[in-house]
Amino acid sequence: MATFTGQVASFAALKTAIETTLSARGWALVNGILSKGVSFVQLTATATELRLQTGTGQAGAALTGACPQLVKLLSFTNAPIQWPAVYVLHVFDAPDEIYCVLRYNVDRHQHLNFGVSSMPQIGGTGLWCSGSFRGDVDGTRAGVKIYIDTNSGTQLGVQPYDGFGLGFFFASIAGTYHSSFIHCGLEGAPAWRTNVGGNTGDLLGVSHKAGLLHALPSQFNQATVLLPIDVLMARQAQGQTIVATLAHARYCRLDHLDLNAPLIYGPERWMAYPLHALHPVQRNGVGWPIGGQHTGTFGIALREVAP
Amino acid sequence: MAYAIDTLVKAGGDDAHYRLLGAIQTLAEQVGWTTLRFDTSIPERELILRSTGTTGEEEITVGFKAYQNLAADYYNLLAATMVGYVPAAPFEAQPGIKSSGVPGHNQAVTYFLTANPRRIVGAFKVGSPIYAHLYVGKALAYARPKEFPSPLIVAGHFEGRDARRYSDLHWFPYKGRKGSGDSNYNDGHLYLRDAAGTWKKVQISPFGNGHANEVTYASLAGEYVGRSGSGNRCLVPAGTLHQPQPLELYDMQFGAYDNDVRGYPSSGNLYGVLDGVSFVSGFNNASENVLQLEGSAVIDQTSLSVRQAVDAIRAVNGRAFVVLQDGARTTWRDYVAVEMA
């Protein structure tokens, strides 16, 4: 377990940095595919994207049991990445969880991450992945916007009709391009669960945390609380099951935090990042249909461990 | 740390609810609570206990008082948490007292209780049966110790010493504000004494998930009976292993709609979490099941009583959670698990 940081001038360089770092820490890199245990992950860099695809195995240079959807970092037309940019890699084993944060254009962030669920009895491999964008988002369109639904029925989450899915299972049940997936064997044969919605086998997003995330930071002490990221899946007969709880990432609110300093709780150190960009005034983000170029004060805390 | 699971019957002696006071005292004293008052000479017998908490530097004062009415056929305990103790003052006039009635019985009561120096929590099984819950003492605050040193809790089933019977309409305290869409739901009777010294009902996740004026929606312990849609679901286990969830105390309000951001401003507090009691799904589950987490061996509970199962699980360094329902209710969202530790 360790945290690594550096500067890169292209997505190709970031791909190399991730592969080099993981290769030195127990991951195999064979024919361009990173693997360890049940995890098989392929990175592909272009001038404007770093794509990540997960699978359940590999045959030569091809993934087998590949997830039908990809996740990616994207230099989109509305705000292209001004290289160089800074990356932070939070690397964990037992369970394997890899978080890549790319900070660019002063204060914008994108995320790409994957890991293995340690929840018993869920079937499948439990491999999950998420990224700021789904693989098929068209980044040439201007006006990639973030929609955060905060109004009806106290639901919460991003509504990615044409842009940011944000990752981290921070999904509302509205929108198309959600970008958090998991391989799970409940409600049918083991399969990649890529859909967010209300049908059996769909993922249910972050609405179950709406009340607590909207309550933070607490008024009585101005503090945030780090909330577990529970990946919730719809079961038959109005059931729902937590199929993963990320071991080293938490939801949080960024009001009153110094993002350059770790949060310290006894022996634990956490670094907080915006889901995309911090806006301290429009703190619940901007809803449909206008959207904004920020994620309010919704954030992610990643566990930090000295290299 | 201690727990007590047993059945008390009148059997020609004291009424069962009177005898409960003695059982609570015995349990609490095992973990360091001291008895400030135990008066059995009066019809409404009184027990007042104090603990110095897990730090040894705190002052936590709780009390139990029998209240009964032969004609109305109720035999209850009044659970109370106080901020101090004045020997000369009557029970109801203790400093900062807040209380809630817990339905009991004069003939027989089975109790499932656990205590540590911070709190006493558990439930009684009475009558038909129904399960009646209580929690007195402190919660665990999500704050630095000196920011919110005394997150006191009192929780039962009735508004103070309400003249009700176990068979009347009531709910366990853990659904909290807006945590149920049942008709006549009264927000339950769990009170938190906030940092400003005000006793108040709060919302409790995962039964509640909305804002101050909204019935629960899209929560882990959501309402699903007779409903459809992704916002009306309840937790079920992946396979056979249940996933107990913390009961977190919060309040949250939305402000006026802000057209500039197409949304609502929000504010609130996430105060902390209850200690020793968790939400657990009722799917494939029933009251008095004992859930085992951890331990060097999985205990075969065939033909074991609740008490025996808990003892056996703890003997292999496991954690034992006793599943208990909300009164007489038995849907998936009507259960909590009390960890016997």
Side-chain angles (χ1 to χ4, degrees), chain A residues 121 151 153-154 198 207-208 218-221 238-242 284 287, chain B residues 147 209 214 217-220 232-234 236 240-241 243 261 264 268-270:
Chain A
Q121 300 184 333
N151 46 19
T154 312
S207 284
H208 65 282
S218 290
Q219 290 172 313
F220 81 88
N221 68 349
Q238 300 300 107
Q240 55 189 350
T241 291
I242 297 169
N284 280 348
Chain B
E147 285 176 338
N209 185 44
E214 180 192 53
Y217 191 76
S219 61
L220 286 180
N232 298 299
R233 294 179 173 278
C234 185
V236 300
T240 53
L241 298 177
Q243 302 168 324
V261 298
Y264 294 82
N269 291 284
L270 176 44

PDB file of all heavy atoms in Angstrom, chain A residues 121 151 153-154 198 207-208 218-221 238-242 284 287, chain B residues 147 209 214 217-220 232-234 236 240-241 243 261 264 268-270:
ATOM      1  N   GLN A 121     -20.151 -13.948  -1.119  1.00  0.00           N
ATOM      2  CA  GLN A 121     -21.398 -14.513  -1.660  1.00  0.00           C
ATOM      3  C   GLN A 121     -22.006 -13.713  -2.801  1.00  0.00           C
ATOM      4  O   GLN A 121     -23.175 -13.897  -3.115  1.00  0.00           O
ATOM      5  CB  GLN A 121     -22.447 -14.680  -0.548  1.00  0.00           C
ATOM      6  CG  GLN A 121     -21.987 -15.600   0.575  1.00  0.00           C
ATOM      7  CD  GLN A 121     -23.061 -15.848   1.616  1.00  0.00           C
ATOM      8  OE1 GLN A 121     -23.942 -15.024   1.826  1.00  0.00           O
ATOM      9  NE2 GLN A 121     -22.989 -16.987   2.288  1.00  0.00           N
ATOM     10  N   ASN A 151     -33.341  17.317  -5.795  1.00  0.00           N
ATOM     11  CA  ASN A 151     -34.635  17.879  -5.410  1.00  0.00           C
ATOM     12  C   ASN A 151     -35.728  16.858  -5.115  1.00  0.00           C
ATOM     13  O   ASN A 151     -36.202  16.763  -4.001  1.00  0.00           O
ATOM     14  CB  ASN A 151     -35.107  18.902  -6.442  1.00  0.00           C
ATOM     15  CG  ASN A 151     -34.943  18.390  -7.864  1.00  0.00           C
ATOM     16  OD1 ASN A 151     -34.819  17.197  -8.068  1.00  0.00           O
ATOM     17  ND2 ASN A 151     -34.924  19.282  -8.823  1.00  0.00           N
ATOM     18  N   GLY A 153     -37.817  13.721  -4.069  1.00  0.00           N
ATOM     19  CA  GLY A 153     -37.694  12.436  -3.390  1.00  0.00           C
ATOM     20  C   GLY A 153     -36.350  12.216  -2.738  1.00  0.00           C
ATOM     21  O   GLY A 153     -35.974  11.095  -2.427  1.00  0.00           O
ATOM     22  N   THR A 154     -35.619  13.270  -2.507  1.00  0.00           N
ATOM     23  CA  THR A 154     -34.276  13.185  -1.942  1.00  0.00           C
ATOM     24  C   THR A 154     -33.479  12.062  -2.580  1.00  0.00           C
ATOM     25  O   THR A 154     -33.086  11.092  -1.956  1.00  0.00           O
ATOM     26  CB  THR A 154     -34.286  13.033  -0.414  1.00  0.00           C
ATOM     27  OG1 THR A 154     -35.162  13.994   0.123  1.00  0.00           O
ATOM     28  CG2 THR A 154     -32.914  13.277   0.163  1.00  0.00           C
ATOM     29  N   GLY A 198     -33.838   0.841 -12.231  1.00  0.00           N
ATOM     30  CA  GLY A 198     -34.672   0.210 -11.218  1.00  0.00           C
ATOM     31  C   GLY A 198     -34.968  -1.245 -11.484  1.00  0.00           C
ATOM     32  O   GLY A 198     -35.750  -1.859 -10.763  1.00  0.00           O
ATOM     33  N   SER A 207     -28.161   7.298  -4.174  1.00  0.00           N
ATOM     34  CA  SER A 207     -29.303   7.929  -3.494  1.00  0.00           C
ATOM     35  C   SER A 207     -29.465   7.474  -2.044  1.00  0.00           C
ATOM     36  O   SER A 207     -29.954   8.238  -1.208  1.00  0.00           O
ATOM     37  CB  SER A 207     -30.598   7.653  -4.259  1.00  0.00           C
ATOM     38  OG  SER A 207     -30.665   8.460  -5.409  1.00  0.00           O
ATOM     39  N   HIS A 208     -29.050   6.262  -1.742  1.00  0.00           N
ATOM     40  CA  HIS A 208     -29.210   5.798  -0.362  1.00  0.00           C
ATOM     41  C   HIS A 208     -28.332   6.570   0.612  1.00  0.00           C
ATOM     42  O   HIS A 208     -28.507   6.462   1.819  1.00  0.00           O
ATOM     43  CB  HIS A 208     -28.934   4.295  -0.256  1.00  0.00           C
ATOM     44  CG  HIS A 208     -27.521   3.907  -0.565  1.00  0.00           C
ATOM     45  ND1 HIS A 208     -27.030   3.814  -1.836  1.00  0.00           N
ATOM     46  CD2 HIS A 208     -26.491   3.615   0.249  1.00  0.00           C
ATOM     47  CE1 HIS A 208     -25.758   3.458  -1.788  1.00  0.00           C
ATOM     48  NE2 HIS A 208     -25.407   3.335  -0.541  1.00  0.00           N
ATOM     49  N   SER A 218     -21.507  18.889   9.245  1.00  0.00           N
ATOM     50  CA  SER A 218     -22.364  19.119  10.403  1.00  0.00           C
ATOM     51  C   SER A 218     -22.261  20.560  10.859  1.00  0.00           C
ATOM     52  O   SER A 218     -21.170  21.106  10.999  1.00  0.00           O
ATOM     53  CB  SER A 218     -21.964  18.194  11.552  1.00  0.00           C
ATOM     54  OG  SER A 218     -22.291  16.866  11.250  1.00  0.00           O
ATOM     55  N   GLN A 219     -23.417  21.180  11.099  1.00  0.00           N
ATOM     56  CA  GLN A 219     -23.399  22.577  11.531  1.00  0.00           C
ATOM     57  C   GLN A 219     -22.802  22.734  12.919  1.00  0.00           C
ATOM     58  O   GLN A 219     -22.216  23.759  13.218  1.00  0.00           O
ATOM     59  CB  GLN A 219     -24.827  23.129  11.504  1.00  0.00           C
ATOM     60  CG  GLN A 219     -25.358  23.309  10.095  1.00  0.00           C
ATOM     61  CD  GLN A 219     -26.825  23.675  10.072  1.00  0.00           C
ATOM     62  OE1 GLN A 219     -27.632  23.064  10.752  1.00  0.00           O
ATOM     63  NE2 GLN A 219     -27.177  24.676   9.295  1.00  0.00           N
ATOM     64  N   PHE A 220     -22.944  21.712  13.756  1.00  0.00           N
ATOM     65  CA  PHE A 220     -22.512  21.918  15.141  1.00  0.00           C
ATOM     66  C   PHE A 220     -21.003  21.963  15.293  1.00  0.00           C
ATOM     67  O   PHE A 220     -20.495  22.521  16.251  1.00  0.00           O
ATOM     68  CB  PHE A 220     -23.148  20.881  16.085  1.00  0.00           C
ATOM     69  CG  PHE A 220     -22.485  19.532  16.109  1.00  0.00           C
ATOM     70  CD1 PHE A 220     -21.425  19.290  16.978  1.00  0.00           C
ATOM     71  CD2 PHE A 220     -22.915  18.512  15.289  1.00  0.00           C
ATOM     72  CE1 PHE A 220     -20.818  18.037  17.014  1.00  0.00           C
ATOM     73  CE2 PHE A 220     -22.313  17.271  15.321  1.00  0.00           C
ATOM     74  CZ  PHE A 220     -21.260  17.036  16.175  1.00  0.00           C
ATOM     75  N   ASN A 221     -20.266  21.374  14.350  1.00  0.00           N
ATOM     76  CA  ASN A 221     -18.805  21.458  14.465  1.00  0.00           C
ATOM     77  C   ASN A 221     -18.105  21.709  13.125  1.00  0.00           C
ATOM     78  O   ASN A 221     -16.888  21.599  13.040  1.00  0.00           O
ATOM     79  CB  ASN A 221     -18.239  20.195  15.136  1.00  0.00           C
ATOM     80  CG  ASN A 221     -18.398  18.952  14.259  1.00  0.00           C
ATOM     81  OD1 ASN A 221     -19.094  18.981  13.248  1.00  0.00           O
ATOM     82  ND2 ASN A 221     -17.741  17.886  14.653  1.00  0.00           N
ATOM     83  N   GLN A 238     -38.206  -6.152  -4.897  1.00  0.00           N
ATOM     84  CA  GLN A 238     -37.901  -4.920  -4.163  1.00  0.00           C
ATOM     85  C   GLN A 238     -36.801  -5.103  -3.120  1.00  0.00           C
ATOM     86  O   GLN A 238     -36.778  -4.426  -2.098  1.00  0.00           O
ATOM     87  CB  GLN A 238     -39.162  -4.344  -3.494  1.00  0.00           C
ATOM     88  CG  GLN A 238     -40.281  -3.999  -4.459  1.00  0.00           C
ATOM     89  CD  GLN A 238     -39.886  -2.972  -5.494  1.00  0.00           C
ATOM     90  OE1 GLN A 238     -39.702  -3.299  -6.667  1.00  0.00           O
ATOM     91  NE2 GLN A 238     -39.724  -1.743  -5.073  1.00  0.00           N
ATOM     92  N   GLY A 239     -35.888  -6.021  -3.396  1.00  0.00           N
ATOM     93  CA  GLY A 239     -34.723  -6.152  -2.542  1.00  0.00           C
ATOM     94  C   GLY A 239     -33.570  -5.342  -3.100  1.00  0.00           C
ATOM     95  O   GLY A 239     -33.609  -4.859  -4.242  1.00  0.00           O
ATOM     96  N   GLN A 240     -32.543  -5.171  -2.307  1.00  0.00           N
ATOM     97  CA  GLN A 240     -31.310  -4.548  -2.765  1.00  0.00           C
ATOM     98  C   GLN A 240     -30.174  -5.089  -1.908  1.00  0.00           C
ATOM     99  O   GLN A 240     -30.369  -5.389  -0.728  1.00  0.00           O
ATOM    100  CB  GLN A 240     -31.378  -3.020  -2.683  1.00  0.00           C
ATOM    101  CG  GLN A 240     -31.728  -2.496  -1.297  1.00  0.00           C
ATOM    102  CD  GLN A 240     -32.009  -1.001  -1.279  1.00  0.00           C
ATOM    103  OE1 GLN A 240     -31.781  -0.308  -2.254  1.00  0.00           O
ATOM    104  NE2 GLN A 240     -32.500  -0.502  -0.152  1.00  0.00           N
ATOM    105  N   THR A 241     -29.006  -5.220  -2.512  1.00  0.00           N
ATOM    106  CA  THR A 241     -27.880  -5.822  -1.812  1.00  0.00           C
ATOM    107  C   THR A 241     -26.634  -4.979  -2.023  1.00  0.00           C
ATOM    108  O   THR A 241     -26.389  -4.476  -3.122  1.00  0.00           O
ATOM    109  CB  THR A 241     -27.638  -7.249  -2.343  1.00  0.00           C
ATOM    110  OG1 THR A 241     -28.730  -8.083  -1.946  1.00  0.00           O
ATOM    111  CG2 THR A 241     -26.348  -7.849  -1.791  1.00  0.00           C
ATOM    112  N   ILE A 242     -25.857  -4.835  -0.959  1.00  0.00           N
ATOM    113  CA  ILE A 242     -24.562  -4.169  -1.072  1.00  0.00           C
ATOM    114  C   ILE A 242     -23.579  -5.194  -1.625  1.00  0.00           C
ATOM    115  O   ILE A 242     -23.283  -6.194  -0.962  1.00  0.00           O
ATOM    116  CB  ILE A 242     -24.098  -3.645   0.294  1.00  0.00           C
ATOM    117  CG1 ILE A 242     -25.074  -2.596   0.815  1.00  0.00           C
ATOM    118  CG2 ILE A 242     -22.690  -3.054   0.186  1.00  0.00           C
ATOM    119  CD1 ILE A 242     -24.845  -2.219   2.263  1.00  0.00           C
ATOM    120  N   ASN A 284     -24.109  22.220  -3.848  1.00  0.00           N
ATOM    121  CA  ASN A 284     -24.773  20.989  -4.256  1.00  0.00           C
ATOM    122  C   ASN A 284     -24.701  20.780  -5.763  1.00  0.00           C
ATOM    123  O   ASN A 284     -25.462  19.997  -6.326  1.00  0.00           O
ATOM    124  CB  ASN A 284     -26.234  20.985  -3.800  1.00  0.00           C
ATOM    125  CG  ASN A 284     -26.376  20.618  -2.335  1.00  0.00           C
ATOM    126  OD1 ASN A 284     -25.410  20.159  -1.720  1.00  0.00           O
ATOM    127  ND2 ASN A 284     -27.538  20.822  -1.773  1.00  0.00           N
ATOM    128  N   GLY A 287     -28.022  21.547 -11.252  1.00  0.00           N
ATOM    129  CA  GLY A 287     -28.904  20.474 -11.702  1.00  0.00           C
ATOM    130  C   GLY A 287     -29.276  20.554 -13.169  1.00  0.00           C
ATOM    131  O   GLY A 287     -28.897  21.490 -13.889  1.00  0.00           O
TER     132      GLY A 287
ATOM    133  N   GLU B 147     -15.563  18.374  21.243  1.00  0.00           N
ATOM    134  CA  GLU B 147     -16.563  19.116  20.477  1.00  0.00           C
ATOM    135  C   GLU B 147     -17.981  18.738  20.883  1.00  0.00           C
ATOM    136  O   GLU B 147     -18.896  19.541  20.803  1.00  0.00           O
ATOM    137  CB  GLU B 147     -16.395  18.832  18.982  1.00  0.00           C
ATOM    138  CG  GLU B 147     -15.218  19.514  18.352  1.00  0.00           C
ATOM    139  CD  GLU B 147     -15.062  19.119  16.895  1.00  0.00           C
ATOM    140  OE1 GLU B 147     -15.579  18.056  16.493  1.00  0.00           O
ATOM    141  OE2 GLU B 147     -14.423  19.863  16.160  1.00  0.00           O
ATOM    142  N   ASN B 209     -33.933   8.623   5.149  1.00  0.00           N
ATOM    143  CA  ASN B 209     -32.938   9.046   4.173  1.00  0.00           C
ATOM    144  C   ASN B 209     -33.283  10.398   3.593  1.00  0.00           C
ATOM    145  O   ASN B 209     -32.571  10.903   2.744  1.00  0.00           O
ATOM    146  CB  ASN B 209     -32.835   8.009   3.036  1.00  0.00           C
ATOM    147  CG  ASN B 209     -31.738   8.329   2.049  1.00  0.00           C
ATOM    148  OD1 ASN B 209     -30.631   8.692   2.448  1.00  0.00           O
ATOM    149  ND2 ASN B 209     -32.028   8.218   0.768  1.00  0.00           N
ATOM    150  N   GLU B 214     -39.968  14.794   4.943  1.00  0.00           N
ATOM    151  CA  GLU B 214     -40.244  13.794   3.927  1.00  0.00           C
ATOM    152  C   GLU B 214     -40.168  12.392   4.505  1.00  0.00           C
ATOM    153  O   GLU B 214     -39.234  12.060   5.219  1.00  0.00           O
ATOM    154  CB  GLU B 214     -39.208  13.928   2.816  1.00  0.00           C
ATOM    155  CG  GLU B 214     -39.396  12.923   1.704  1.00  0.00           C
ATOM    156  CD  GLU B 214     -38.191  12.912   0.797  1.00  0.00           C
ATOM    157  OE1 GLU B 214     -37.064  12.757   1.301  1.00  0.00           O
ATOM    158  OE2 GLU B 214     -38.380  13.068  -0.405  1.00  0.00           O
ATOM    159  N   TYR B 217     -37.190   7.604   1.754  1.00  0.00           N
ATOM    160  CA  TYR B 217     -37.162   7.262   0.335  1.00  0.00           C
ATOM    161  C   TYR B 217     -35.749   6.839  -0.044  1.00  0.00           C
ATOM    162  O   TYR B 217     -34.780   7.452   0.396  1.00  0.00           O
ATOM    163  CB  TYR B 217     -37.590   8.481  -0.500  1.00  0.00           C
ATOM    164  CG  TYR B 217     -37.842   8.158  -1.946  1.00  0.00           C
ATOM    165  CD1 TYR B 217     -39.007   7.506  -2.338  1.00  0.00           C
ATOM    166  CD2 TYR B 217     -36.916   8.491  -2.925  1.00  0.00           C
ATOM    167  CE1 TYR B 217     -39.240   7.200  -3.657  1.00  0.00           C
ATOM    168  CE2 TYR B 217     -37.144   8.193  -4.248  1.00  0.00           C
ATOM    169  CZ  TYR B 217     -38.307   7.547  -4.617  1.00  0.00           C
ATOM    170  OH  TYR B 217     -38.534   7.235  -5.917  1.00  0.00           O
ATOM    171  N   ALA B 218     -35.657   5.807  -0.859  1.00  0.00           N
ATOM    172  CA  ALA B 218     -34.377   5.385  -1.421  1.00  0.00           C
ATOM    173  C   ALA B 218     -33.327   5.049  -0.370  1.00  0.00           C
ATOM    174  O   ALA B 218     -32.142   5.189  -0.596  1.00  0.00           O
ATOM    175  CB  ALA B 218     -33.823   6.440  -2.377  1.00  0.00           C
ATOM    176  N   SER B 219     -33.756   4.603   0.791  1.00  0.00           N
ATOM    177  CA  SER B 219     -32.781   4.271   1.828  1.00  0.00           C
ATOM    178  C   SER B 219     -32.456   2.780   1.790  1.00  0.00           C
ATOM    179  O   SER B 219     -33.133   1.998   1.132  1.00  0.00           O
ATOM    180  CB  SER B 219     -33.327   4.655   3.201  1.00  0.00           C
ATOM    181  OG  SER B 219     -34.508   3.941   3.476  1.00  0.00           O
ATOM    182  N   LEU B 220     -31.432   2.388   2.519  1.00  0.00           N
ATOM    183  CA  LEU B 220     -31.093   0.969   2.571  1.00  0.00           C
ATOM    184  C   LEU B 220     -32.221   0.170   3.223  1.00  0.00           C
ATOM    185  O   LEU B 220     -32.462  -0.975   2.876  1.00  0.00           O
ATOM    186  CB  LEU B 220     -29.790   0.748   3.350  1.00  0.00           C
ATOM    187  CG  LEU B 220     -28.498   1.135   2.646  1.00  0.00           C
ATOM    188  CD1 LEU B 220     -27.306   0.864   3.551  1.00  0.00           C
ATOM    189  CD2 LEU B 220     -28.338   0.407   1.332  1.00  0.00           C
ATOM    190  N   ASN B 232     -38.052   2.429  -3.502  1.00  0.00           N
ATOM    191  CA  ASN B 232     -38.754   1.676  -2.459  1.00  0.00           C
ATOM    192  C   ASN B 232     -38.222   0.250  -2.420  1.00  0.00           C
ATOM    193  O   ASN B 232     -38.785  -0.669  -3.010  1.00  0.00           O
ATOM    194  CB  ASN B 232     -40.254   1.696  -2.717  1.00  0.00           C
ATOM    195  CG  ASN B 232     -40.800   3.105  -2.670  1.00  0.00           C
ATOM    196  OD1 ASN B 232     -40.722   3.772  -1.650  1.00  0.00           O
ATOM    197  ND2 ASN B 232     -41.325   3.567  -3.788  1.00  0.00           N
ATOM    198  N   ARG B 233     -37.102   0.104  -1.762  1.00  0.00           N
ATOM    199  CA  ARG B 233     -36.450  -1.196  -1.664  1.00  0.00           C
ATOM    200  C   ARG B 233     -35.915  -1.373  -0.260  1.00  0.00           C
ATOM    201  O   ARG B 233     -35.730  -0.416   0.470  1.00  0.00           O
ATOM    202  CB  ARG B 233     -35.265  -1.279  -2.642  1.00  0.00           C
ATOM    203  CG  ARG B 233     -35.672  -1.243  -4.080  1.00  0.00           C
ATOM    204  CD  ARG B 233     -34.451  -1.309  -4.991  1.00  0.00           C
ATOM    205  NE  ARG B 233     -34.870  -1.436  -6.372  1.00  0.00           N
ATOM    206  CZ  ARG B 233     -35.219  -2.578  -6.955  1.00  0.00           C
ATOM    207  NH1 ARG B 233     -35.152  -3.697  -6.271  1.00  0.00           N
ATOM    208  NH2 ARG B 233     -35.606  -2.602  -8.205  1.00  0.00           N
ATOM    209  N   CYS B 234     -35.651  -2.624   0.086  1.00  0.00           N
ATOM    210  CA  CYS B 234     -35.037  -2.892   1.381  1.00  0.00           C
ATOM    211  C   CYS B 234     -33.859  -3.835   1.198  1.00  0.00           C
ATOM    212  O   CYS B 234     -33.841  -4.663   0.289  1.00  0.00           O
ATOM    213  CB  CYS B 234     -36.057  -3.493   2.351  1.00  0.00           C
ATOM    214  SG  CYS B 234     -35.380  -3.703   4.014  1.00  0.00           S
ATOM    215  N   VAL B 236     -31.402  -6.794   1.334  1.00  0.00           N
ATOM    216  CA  VAL B 236     -31.428  -8.245   1.522  1.00  0.00           C
ATOM    217  C   VAL B 236     -29.984  -8.729   1.436  1.00  0.00           C
ATOM    218  O   VAL B 236     -29.156  -8.093   0.799  1.00  0.00           O
ATOM    219  CB  VAL B 236     -32.314  -8.958   0.468  1.00  0.00           C
ATOM    220  CG1 VAL B 236     -33.745  -8.476   0.545  1.00  0.00           C
ATOM    221  CG2 VAL B 236     -31.764  -8.773  -0.926  1.00  0.00           C
ATOM    222  N   THR B 240     -26.436 -15.871   2.282  1.00  0.00           N
ATOM    223  CA  THR B 240     -26.953 -16.165   3.613  1.00  0.00           C
ATOM    224  C   THR B 240     -26.398 -15.222   4.671  1.00  0.00           C
ATOM    225  O   THR B 240     -26.880 -15.196   5.794  1.00  0.00           O
ATOM    226  CB  THR B 240     -26.575 -17.600   4.020  1.00  0.00           C
ATOM    227  OG1 THR B 240     -25.160 -17.740   3.864  1.00  0.00           O
ATOM    228  CG2 THR B 240     -27.284 -18.614   3.134  1.00  0.00           C
ATOM    229  N   LEU B 241     -25.363 -14.452   4.300  1.00  0.00           N
ATOM    230  CA  LEU B 241     -24.696 -13.614   5.301  1.00  0.00           C
ATOM    231  C   LEU B 241     -25.331 -12.232   5.339  1.00  0.00           C
ATOM    232  O   LEU B 241     -25.328 -11.503   4.350  1.00  0.00           O
ATOM    233  CB  LEU B 241     -23.203 -13.491   4.975  1.00  0.00           C
ATOM    234  CG  LEU B 241     -22.424 -14.803   4.987  1.00  0.00           C
ATOM    235  CD1 LEU B 241     -20.976 -14.567   4.573  1.00  0.00           C
ATOM    236  CD2 LEU B 241     -22.463 -15.430   6.379  1.00  0.00           C
ATOM    237  N   GLN B 243     -25.884  -8.251   6.441  1.00  0.00           N
ATOM    238  CA  GLN B 243     -24.992  -7.097   6.422  1.00  0.00           C
ATOM    239  C   GLN B 243     -25.536  -6.043   7.395  1.00  0.00           C
ATOM    240  O   GLN B 243     -26.219  -5.109   6.975  1.00  0.00           O
ATOM    241  CB  GLN B 243     -24.926  -6.512   5.000  1.00  0.00           C
ATOM    242  CG  GLN B 243     -24.466  -7.522   3.951  1.00  0.00           C
ATOM    243  CD  GLN B 243     -24.682  -7.028   2.524  1.00  0.00           C
ATOM    244  OE1 GLN B 243     -25.646  -6.353   2.211  1.00  0.00           O
ATOM    245  NE2 GLN B 243     -23.756  -7.352   1.637  1.00  0.00           N
ATOM    246  N   VAL B 261     -29.165  27.337  -9.840  1.00  0.00           N
ATOM    247  CA  VAL B 261     -28.460  26.055  -9.857  1.00  0.00           C
ATOM    248  C   VAL B 261     -29.416  24.895 -10.095  1.00  0.00           C
ATOM    249  O   VAL B 261     -29.007  23.731 -10.054  1.00  0.00           O
ATOM    250  CB  VAL B 261     -27.647  25.816  -8.563  1.00  0.00           C
ATOM    251  CG1 VAL B 261     -26.591  26.877  -8.406  1.00  0.00           C
ATOM    252  CG2 VAL B 261     -28.557  25.763  -7.346  1.00  0.00           C
ATOM    253  N   TYR B 264     -31.621  22.622  -4.760  1.00  0.00           N
ATOM    254  CA  TYR B 264     -31.953  23.090  -3.426  1.00  0.00           C
ATOM    255  C   TYR B 264     -30.705  23.140  -2.556  1.00  0.00           C
ATOM    256  O   TYR B 264     -29.911  22.194  -2.564  1.00  0.00           O
ATOM    257  CB  TYR B 264     -32.957  22.141  -2.758  1.00  0.00           C
ATOM    258  CG  TYR B 264     -34.302  22.105  -3.423  1.00  0.00           C
ATOM    259  CD1 TYR B 264     -34.504  21.324  -4.549  1.00  0.00           C
ATOM    260  CD2 TYR B 264     -35.361  22.848  -2.927  1.00  0.00           C
ATOM    261  CE1 TYR B 264     -35.745  21.286  -5.169  1.00  0.00           C
ATOM    262  CE2 TYR B 264     -36.602  22.817  -3.537  1.00  0.00           C
ATOM    263  CZ  TYR B 264     -36.792  22.034  -4.660  1.00  0.00           C
ATOM    264  OH  TYR B 264     -38.014  21.997  -5.269  1.00  0.00           O
ATOM    265  N   GLY B 268     -27.479  20.605   7.651  1.00  0.00           N
ATOM    266  CA  GLY B 268     -27.882  19.657   8.677  1.00  0.00           C
ATOM    267  C   GLY B 268     -26.735  19.261   9.577  1.00  0.00           C
ATOM    268  O   GLY B 268     -25.744  19.982   9.721  1.00  0.00           O
ATOM    269  N   ASN B 269     -26.916  18.140  10.206  1.00  0.00           N
ATOM    270  CA  ASN B 269     -25.918  17.594  11.123  1.00  0.00           C
ATOM    271  C   ASN B 269     -25.919  16.076  11.018  1.00  0.00           C
ATOM    272  O   ASN B 269     -26.983  15.466  10.926  1.00  0.00           O
ATOM    273  CB  ASN B 269     -26.259  17.949  12.573  1.00  0.00           C
ATOM    274  CG  ASN B 269     -26.103  19.426  12.876  1.00  0.00           C
ATOM    275  OD1 ASN B 269     -24.986  19.915  13.024  1.00  0.00           O
ATOM    276  ND2 ASN B 269     -27.216  20.137  12.946  1.00  0.00           N
ATOM    277  N   LEU B 270     -24.743  15.509  11.044  1.00  0.00           N
ATOM    278  CA  LEU B 270     -24.613  14.058  11.213  1.00  0.00           C
ATOM    279  C   LEU B 270     -23.953  13.878  12.572  1.00  0.00           C
ATOM    280  O   LEU B 270     -22.763  14.122  12.727  1.00  0.00           O
ATOM    281  CB  LEU B 270     -23.779  13.462  10.077  1.00  0.00           C
ATOM    282  CG  LEU B 270     -23.456  11.971  10.128  1.00  0.00           C
ATOM    283  CD1 LEU B 270     -24.654  11.127  10.512  1.00  0.00           C
ATOM    284  CD2 LEU B 270     -22.900  11.518   8.791  1.00  0.00           C
TER     285      LEU B 270
END
